């Protein structure tokens, strides 16, 4: 059964567009082979990422990602078994600016993007609404 893992982390330094593009290039190539999909968000030096796919592959990839020196304070927010992936259309979707879903932060009572204090449901809603906004913009 597929799993969904959501984590957040702190970038080791401010990430440029080029830095993010490098991560996404590797992610999309690897994830495609592993049958993993998901969404990555980066803002205010925080990453928030969801990975969905076969349990063994998601677990192994997460351990690799957690070792990556480009970020630290890697914190799992949610880990669950799912019937169907929610992010199946995305080998690794990306959103730099949560402006499209800024209202959610307000609803969550947050003044800025602080994934460390998001509940599992809040993090999932945030990423899912971002992916929907991306689809609409595409
Ligand atoms: P390479 O990309 O060649 O990397 C080899 C090693 O070098 C790895 O240990 C890597 O951590 C390190 N490395 C690579 N580039 C840099 C750099 N610019 N600065 C410092 N160290 C570097 N990978 C995926 O496959 N799927 C994902 O969904 C995914 N999401 C990520 C999300 C974040 C927030 C970050 C920071 C990284 C993510 N990665 C992802 C990259 C992942 O951490 C590994 O780099 C990647 O899985 C290893 O790919 P590779 O075997 O092709 O080796």
């Amino acid at each position: 059964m597929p799993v969904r893992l959501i984590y957040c982390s702190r970038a080791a330094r401010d990430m440029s567009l080029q830095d993010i593009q490098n991560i996404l290039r590797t992610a999309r190539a690897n994830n495609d082979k592993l049958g993993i999909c998901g969404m990555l968000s980066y803002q205010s030096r925080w990453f928030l990422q969801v990975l969905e796919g076969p349990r063994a592959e998601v677990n192994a990839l997460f351990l690799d990602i957690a070792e990556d020196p480009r970020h630290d304070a890697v914190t799992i927010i949610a880990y669950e078994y799912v019937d169907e992936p929610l992010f199946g259309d995305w080998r690794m979707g990306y959103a730099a600016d949560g402006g499209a879903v800024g209202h959610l932060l307000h609803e969550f009572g947050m003044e800025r993007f602080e994934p460390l204090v998001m509940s599992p449901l809040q993090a999932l809603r945030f990423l899912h609404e971002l992916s929907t906004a991306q689809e609409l913009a595409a």
Side-chain angles (χ1 to χ4, degrees):
M1 190 181 271
V3 297
R4 173 184 305 131
L5 189 158
I6 304 176
Y7 76 89
C8 67
S9 62
R10 187 86 176 135
R13 55 180 171 77
D14 281 331
M15 293 278 135
S16 66
L17 188 58
Q18 185 64 55
D19 293 326
I20 299 288
Q21 280 170 348
N22 288 341
I23 292 174
L24 288 173
R25 193 175 313 110
T26 308
R28 286 171 178 154
N30 287 346
N31 296 3
D32 202 27
K33 286 182 226 143
L34 298 169
I36 290 176
C37 52
M39 188 83 199
L40 175 68
S41 171
Y42 174 75
Q43 47 186 310
S44 312
R45 271 189 70 183
W46 283 101
F47 288 109
L48 177 66
Q49 187 176 28
V50 55
L51 302 167
E52 288 182 337
R55 180 173 67 177
E57 282 77 359
V58 168
N59 291 356
L61 176 62
F62 174 71
L63 292 178
D64 276 351
I65 293 175
E67 291 289 311
D68 195 310
R70 287 170 285 187
H71 62 168
D72 51 35
V74 177
T75 306
I76 294 177
I77 297 176
Y79 186 94
E80 60 183 329
Y81 290 84
V82 292
D83 292 327
E84 291 290 331
L86 260 184
F87 298 87
D89 291 341
W90 301 94
R91 277 303 157 229
M92 189 46 60
Y94 173 66
D97 172 7
V101 292
H103 64 281
L104 275 183
L105 296 183
H106 186 67
E107 193 184 307
F108 297 163
M110 290 173 196
E111 285 181 11
R112 65 189 82 84
F113 184 59
E114 281 181 288
L116 204 50
V117 295
M118 281 185 184
S119 71
L121 200 59
Q122 287 174 336
L124 181 61
R125 256 192 85 194
F126 187 86
L127 287 161
H128 189 239
E129 291 212 15
L130 270 183
S131 73
T132 309
Q134 297 278 98
E135 262 166 36
L136 291 175

